[in-house]
């Protein structure tokens, strides 16, 4: 009884809001609230619409590349930061700066740089690399959105991975280096497997955030395809088709859930692969200490 | 060997400087340049540089856009969200940090839901629920929505804080016959201060930054810092004005960042994910 | 369901506490002098207009100092404002006073239940209650002339070469790939108006013919777009198109006359850009302004509306924003377009087409 009272304010508020939103989505996606009554037409209509699949493809593409890009960039920086470097605090501060720049400002900064007569095109023209400015804003593939996701999320990935890498005892790394492991082997056999939990957390959080992205896609995204969130927003507020918007919402949620599971399953095997460079028993012993 | 290391260090540092130049300095420099374009001398192709620079646009934007209103809204929402969140999170965090009970893991997982659910979905269907209920007070709806978004972080950070209080300190207090309240004041509060502070700041940042909820629930006329930015970048896109607004908004965030770094010595995010 | 009911009552009682007391007076039964006194007492008024808000805030300063009534111009899109107006109409007192809407939007409103009749206005007889073929039945008057057309950079195209027919435009697009832009109709109205012009040209066979949702004639228009799609630049909004002309990326793009002029007067883009209505015709009309039936400051709203639609203010609107005045006694010498060119202005199609154009353009062209 007392436990309930303790859990109610925090857990209760979450369950209440998430639950009521979920309830509304479910009800609306089958049209239960309309006078016509329940029907699966909204599902079949929406799921047979090729636009939805283009949006799914686009959203998946940008979020896979965005989240992978962020962690791939974060690993070497995190390794580099292990070393003593003059002015480390300032460097860390600079690296974290993008986290405090609102995403929309980031989108604006990027568009400004890559616009038709923006500084990028002007510099390339001046250098003679191109003879006509490139039209790269709102590109069809979504590279701008990928860039923005990487820019904005690298600090987040860096913080998660750094704290995980820093918690690896340096004698483990020194020992493996003494045993003659190359820097790459050291990373792939020792560091990488030990940071899998942090990697999973970073990938899942960044990926799901990117999959539901509205702001980047609507400002810097392709003009030939909407991201899932943009599509859902227009479907609800411009076409007034709340039922179909609910279906799209559920599709996003299912995709998020599936990708979280997939990321976990795909990265798990790496966590146990420690054999070749230094013996597994050595690592286990040092890990237990 | 030593020289070699030094060389590597220099190379890596200059590489870092170069990358940061492209990554941060150039974009911000361009934004500053655009923001200084004089309103009576617009900057257009084929001019490589603006003809006249002045601060006039800053003054004009401050006086004629609803930027002050947006900042007032954002900076009055955020503290409300922060206080409410920490208040709601504390009991739950205590249960997670110091009690063992059946289904604890499940309960902990549920609290993470708002972190992984795309906020646009929540926003749209929460707003449709409010519409059905005939309730339209954007300030309250946004406070509620932001609170729920911030709760997972606050619960996480504070339950780690509760966990860190050593049992012997609590026992010692109890042995000396202290009442529950005194125990809380002397045993818990001092140890909890940093995590409460961390939660508060985290909630502030989340509320100030959050776009989707504010955009949908505040529509059409309750504007916050991110939603005004969205209108300046989207529907009423005017590049020099957008530059001024962007820079106006980055400044308080940078100050907030410096405060956070100072207070928490950099490990705040690792706390939130429970890895500290 | 019970939960919902409990929630509803508790939220409603909360809302009731927050909302101020209900009406103590009824403006529709007051004389104009009584309304003026009452307006002073209210002391403030909200005017929801979805474009050029910074310019509006400057413009209403004169009213504020003359009448001592504060005017608040909130942010908000057209759809957002209209949806809020509808949502609040169930309440006894809403938060909106004056709301500007596109002409076709009166079709979407339950006029009697949402809006206040405007026949109290002293100048009512001289104001227009019909715009673009939509009759507001006295619940809205026009205050802002608008005209869609094509904005261009005269330093990059000769006036004589401006495309006047769709054949010329096709030819231009072929020889100048990517230099003609159209904005996503979901992001702003001028793109939709251009698509509408194409629809008139390719799909609608005679004036007044109506197409239903599934009519095969739509296809002719979408075929044209698809044929040239790779050579047309799709932009995000009305403002995005104009910005890209200013940047030198585009040469021609559909735009609103008043929007272009407003941005130029604000110094956001160069004065060099010009605007024309092509011979194939693009639509124009006027926006309505309305007062919510449950307005919080009904008297101040009426006084503001009287000021806004007066000949004097309309002349100033023309000078500041370059729009066509709506009061017969106003002077319209400051517009971007000559009277001669205005003959190509057409009446817009109705709101059904507006929605259908957005949807089908996305389905059949943008994402095809």
């Amino acid at each position: 009884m007392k436990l309930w009272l303790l859990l109610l304010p925090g857990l209760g508020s979450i369950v209440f809001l998430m639950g009521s939103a979920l309830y509304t989505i479910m009800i609306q996606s089958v049209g239960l609230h309309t006078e016509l009554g329940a029907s699966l037409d909204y599902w079949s209509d929406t799921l047979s619409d090729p636009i939805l699949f283009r949006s799914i493809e686009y959203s998946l593409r940008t979020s896979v590349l965005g989240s992978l890009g962020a962690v791939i960039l974060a690993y070497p920086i995190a390794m580099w930061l292990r070393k003593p470097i003059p002015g480390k605090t300032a460097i860390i501060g600079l690296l974290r700066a993008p986290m405090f720049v609102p995403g929309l400002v980031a989108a604006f900064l990027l568009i400004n740089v890559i616009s038709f007569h923006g500084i990028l095109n002007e510099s390339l023209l001046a250098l003679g690399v191109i003879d006509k400015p490139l039209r790269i804003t709102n590109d069809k593939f979504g590279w701008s959105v990928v860039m923005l996701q990487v820019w904005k999320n690298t600090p987040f990935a860096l913080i998660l991975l750094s704290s995980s890498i820093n918690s690896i005892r340096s004698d483990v790394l020194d020992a493996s280096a003494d045993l003659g492991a190359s820097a790459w082997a050291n990373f792939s056999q020792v560091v990488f497997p030990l940071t899998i939990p942090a990697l999973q957390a970073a990938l899942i959080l960044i990926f799901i955030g990117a999959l539901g992205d509205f702001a980047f896609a609507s400002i810097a995204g392709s003009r030939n395809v909407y991201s899932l969130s943009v599509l859902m927003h227009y479907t609800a507020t411009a076409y007034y088709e709340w039922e179909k918007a609910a279906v799209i919402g559920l599709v996003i949620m299912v995709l998020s859930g599936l990708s979280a599971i997939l990321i976990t399953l795909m990265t798990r095997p790496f966590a146990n692969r420690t054999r070749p460079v230094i013996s597994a028993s050595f690592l286990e012993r040092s890990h237990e200490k | 060997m030593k020289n070699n290391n030094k060389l590597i260090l220099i190379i890596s540092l200059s590489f870092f400087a170069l990358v940061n130049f492209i990554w941060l300095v150039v974009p911000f420099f361009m934004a500053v340049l655009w923001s200084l374009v004089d309103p009576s001398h617009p900057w257009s192709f084929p001019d490589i540089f603006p003809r006249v620079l002045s601060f006039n646009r800053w003054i004009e934007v401050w006086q004629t856009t609803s930027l002050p209103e947006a900042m007032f809204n954002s900076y009055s929402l955020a503290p409300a969200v922060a206080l409410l969140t920490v208040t709601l999170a504390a009991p739950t965090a205590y249960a997670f940090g110091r009690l063992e009970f059946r289904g604890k893991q499940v309960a902990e997982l549920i609290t993470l839901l708002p972190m992984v659910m795309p906020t646009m979905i929540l926003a749209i269907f929460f707003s449709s629920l409010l519409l059905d209920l005939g309730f339209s007070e954007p300030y309250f709806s946004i406070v509620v929505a932001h609170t729920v978004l911030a709760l997972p972080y606050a619960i996480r950070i504070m339950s780690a804080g509760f966990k860190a209080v050593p049992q012997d300190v609590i026992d010692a207090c109890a042995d000396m016959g202290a009442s529950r309240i005194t125990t809380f004041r002397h045993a818990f509060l001092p140890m909890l201060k940093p995590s409460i502070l961390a939660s508060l700041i985290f909630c502030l940042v989340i509320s100030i930054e959050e776009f989707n909820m504010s955009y949908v629930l505040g529509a059409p006329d309750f504007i916050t810092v991110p939603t005004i930015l969205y209108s300046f970048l989207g529907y009423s896109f005017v590049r020099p004005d957008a530059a001024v607004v962007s820079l106006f908004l980055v400044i308080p965030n940078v100050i907030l960042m410096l405060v956070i770094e100072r207070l928490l010595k950099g490990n705040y995010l690792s706390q939130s994910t429970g890895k500290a | 369901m019970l939960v919902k009911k409990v929630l509803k009552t508790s939220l409603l009682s909360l809302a009731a506490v927050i909302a101020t007391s209900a009406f103590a007076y009824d403006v529709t039964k007051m004389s104009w002098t009584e309304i003026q006194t009452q307006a002073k007492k209210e002391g403030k008024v909200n005017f929801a207009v979805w474009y050029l808000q910074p310019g509006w805030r400057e413009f209403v300063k004169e009213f504020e100092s003359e009448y001592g009534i504060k005017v608040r111009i909130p942010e908000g899109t057209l759809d957002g404002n209209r949806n809020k107006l509808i949502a609040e109409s169930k309440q006894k007192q809403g938060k909106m006073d004056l709301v500007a809407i596109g002409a076709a939007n009166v079709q979407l409103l339950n006029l009697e239940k949402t809006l206040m009749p405007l026949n109290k206005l002293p100048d009512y007889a001289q104001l227009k209650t019909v715009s673009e073929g939509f009759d507001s039945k006295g619940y809205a008057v026009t205050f802002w002339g608008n005209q869609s057309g094509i904005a261009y950079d005269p330093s990059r195209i000769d006036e004589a070469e401006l495309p006047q027919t769709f054949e010329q435009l096709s030819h231009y697009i072929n020889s100048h790939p990517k230099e003609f832009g159209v904005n996503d109709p979901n992001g702003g109205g001028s793109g939709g108006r251009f698509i509408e012009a194409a629809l008139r040209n390719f799909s609608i066979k005679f004036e007044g013919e109506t197409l239903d949702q599934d009519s095969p004639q739509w296809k002719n228009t979408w075929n044209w777009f698809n044929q040239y799609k790779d050579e047309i630049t799709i932009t995000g909004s009305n403002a995005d198109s104009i910005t890209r002309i200013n940047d030198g990326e585009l040469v021609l793009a559909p735009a609103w006359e008043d929007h272009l002029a407003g941005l130029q007067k604000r110094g956001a883009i160069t004065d060099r850009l010009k605007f024309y209505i092509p011979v194939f015709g693009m639509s124009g009309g006027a926006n309505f302004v309305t007062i919510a039936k449950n307005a919080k400051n009904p008297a101040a709203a009426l006084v503001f509306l009287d000021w806004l639609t007066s000949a004097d203010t309309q002349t100033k609107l023309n000078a500041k924003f370059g729009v066509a005045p709506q009061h017969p006694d106003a002077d319209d010498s400051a517009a971007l377009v000559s009277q001669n060119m205005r003959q190509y202005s057409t009446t817009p199609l109705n709101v059904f087409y507006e929605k259908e154009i957005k949807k089908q353009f996305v389905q059949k062209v943008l994402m095809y």
Side-chain angles (χ1 to χ4, degrees), chain A residues 179 187 191 219 278:
Chain A
L179 289 172
F187 172 76
V191 176
I219 286 173
I278 40 173

Side-chain angles (χ1 to χ4, degrees), chain C residues 5 13 16 37 41 46 77 143 231 234 260 296 334 355:
Chain C
K5 214 169 181 180
S13 53
T37 338
K41 267 188 219 159
N46 279 312
T77 59
F143 76 107
E231 315 302 335
I234 302 291
L260 177 66
K296 202 172 180 179
K355 182 189 151 189

Side-chain angles (χ1 to χ4, degrees), chain A residues 218 223 226 230 233-234 238-239, chain B residues 215 230-231 233-237, chain C residues 50 77-79 182-192 195 234-241 256 259 354 357-359 361-362 366:
Chain A
S218 64
R223 295 286 172 231
Y226 293 142
V230 174
H233 184 254
Y234 282 145
Y239 315 149
Chain B
Y215 179 60
Y230 182 73
S231 95
L233 292 177
Y235 192 75
S236 31
F237 181 60
Chain C
W50 74 95
T77 59
L78 171 58
D79 288 355
V182 178
N183 69 287
D184 177 346
N186 277 315
S190 63
I195 299 168
I234 302 291
T235 72
S237 64
N238 299 332
D240 190 18
S241 291
W256 293 105
H259 189 226
E354 200 184 310
I357 279 174
K358 282 184 189 175
K359 257 187 89 169
F361 186 71
V362 170
L366 274 190

Side-chain angles (χ1 to χ4, degrees), chain B residues 161-222:
Chain B
F162 275 111
K163 214 176 265 173
V165 181
Q167 188 61 41
D168 42 358
V169 178
I170 302 165
D171 293 343
C173 271
D175 285 349
M176 289 188 294
S179 71
R180 281 188 149 187
I181 295 170
T182 337
T183 313
F184 181 77
R185 262 208 3 235
H186 292 281
F188 280 104
L189 212 53
M191 310 271 307
L192 278 178
K193 248 187 201 157
S195 54
I196 292 179
L197 208 63
S199 315
L200 282 176
I201 291 171
F202 231 91
C203 299
L204 286 178
V205 174
I206 288 175
S207 170
I208 289 173
E209 273 244 34
E210 207 283 329
F211 165 72
N212 291 343
M213 287 284 192
S214 318
Y215 179 60
V216 175
L217 297 176
D221 55 358
F222 187 87

Side-chain angles (χ1 to χ4, degrees), chain C residues 41-250:
Chain C
K41 267 188 219 159
E42 289 170 357
K44 57 179 191 298
V45 70
N46 279 312
F47 176 35
V49 56
W50 74 95
Y51 48 86
L52 298 172
Q53 288 100 336
W56 277 107
R57 290 190 189 106
E58 272 172 357
F59 188 73
V60 298
K61 276 191 184 136
E62 199 188 299
F63 172 82
E64 290 182 324
S65 57
E66 197 180 325
Y67 290 82
I69 297 172
K70 289 284 291 169
V71 183
R72 187 173 166 265
I73 313 272
E75 297 292 321
T77 59
L78 171 58
D79 288 355
N81 290 341
R82 185 195 58 227
N83 291 350
K84 181 170 173 163
L85 184 67
I86 296 172
E88 281 193 355
S89 65
K90 295 170 211 149
Q91 293 166 16
K92 202 157 184 198
Q93 190 181 64
K95 283 199 243 14
M96 302 185 107
D97 295 322
L98 294 133
V99 185
I101 53 173
N105 283 271
V106 293
Q107 273 198 329
L108 297 171
L109 297 172
N110 185 336
L111 298 171
E112 262 163 73
K113 284 195 177 145
T114 7
L115 302 175
M116 182 194 289
L118 298 178
N119 49 17
K120 275 278 159 189
L121 291 171
D123 262 7
Y124 180 73
Q126 297 196 281
L127 300 174
K128 290 184 235 167
T129 54
V130 178
S131 170
E132 307 175 10
F134 299 103
D135 187 354
S136 75
K137 307 204 171 71
Y139 287 94
V141 291
T142 62
F143 76 107
W144 179 280
N146 60 30
Q147 176 62 51
S148 64
I150 294 180
Y152 64 101
D153 182 347
S155 71
R156 301 181 61 206
I157 184 168
D158 277 347
E159 214 164 299
E161 282 165 25
L162 291 173
Q164 301 289 359
T165 63
F166 269 88
E167 289 81 68
Q168 287 171 8
L169 186 60
S170 313
H171 181 74
Y172 178 84
I173 294 169
N174 261 337
S175 51
H176 301 83
K178 292 281 182 190
E179 290 186 3
F180 174 72
V182 178
N183 69 287
D184 177 346
N186 277 315
S190 63
R193 292 303 173 94
F194 173 76
I195 299 168
E196 179 195 272
L199 202 64
R200 259 175 210 288
N201 190 65
F202 295 111
S203 298
I204 296 176
K205 297 212 180 83
F206 53 90
E207 196 63 40
E209 185 192 24
T210 46
L211 304 180
D212 67 15
Q213 204 170 323
D214 305 313
S215 165
Q217 277 159 257
W218 287 91
K219 240 179 132 184
N220 304 334
T221 305
W222 307 142
N223 285 345
W224 182 80
F225 275 104
N226 281 323
Q227 191 183 341
Y228 294 100
K229 167 164 94 170
D230 293 333
E231 315 302 335
I232 297 177
T233 301
I234 302 291
T235 72
S237 64
N238 299 332
D240 190 18
S241 291
I242 296 176
T243 304
R244 288 183 194 222
I245 300 179
N246 188 59
D247 281 359
E249 177 177 355
L250 300 178

Side-chain angles (χ1 to χ4, degrees), chain A residues 23-93:
Chain A
Y23 171 81
T24 323
I25 298 177
M26 302 275 193
I27 292 287
Q28 294 200 345
S29 76
V30 292
L32 257 179
H33 65 301
T34 60
E35 279 137 34
L36 298 168
S39 118
L40 286 176
D41 289 358
Y42 306 111
W43 277 92
S44 58
D45 274 9
T46 313
L47 290 183
S48 60
D49 187 350
I51 305 259
L52 176 73
F53 289 93
R54 292 199 43 161
S55 292
I56 291 179
E57 194 191 322
Y58 175 72
S59 282
L60 282 179
R61 184 165 72 210
T62 49
S63 22
V64 166
L65 289 173
S67 50
L68 279 180
V71 289
I72 290 174
L73 205 58
Y75 262 115
I77 303 176
M79 293 298 283
W80 181 54
L81 285 178
R82 278 181 61 87
K83 300 195 180 108
I85 307 165
K88 199 165 172 176
T89 359
I91 289 178
I92 293 181

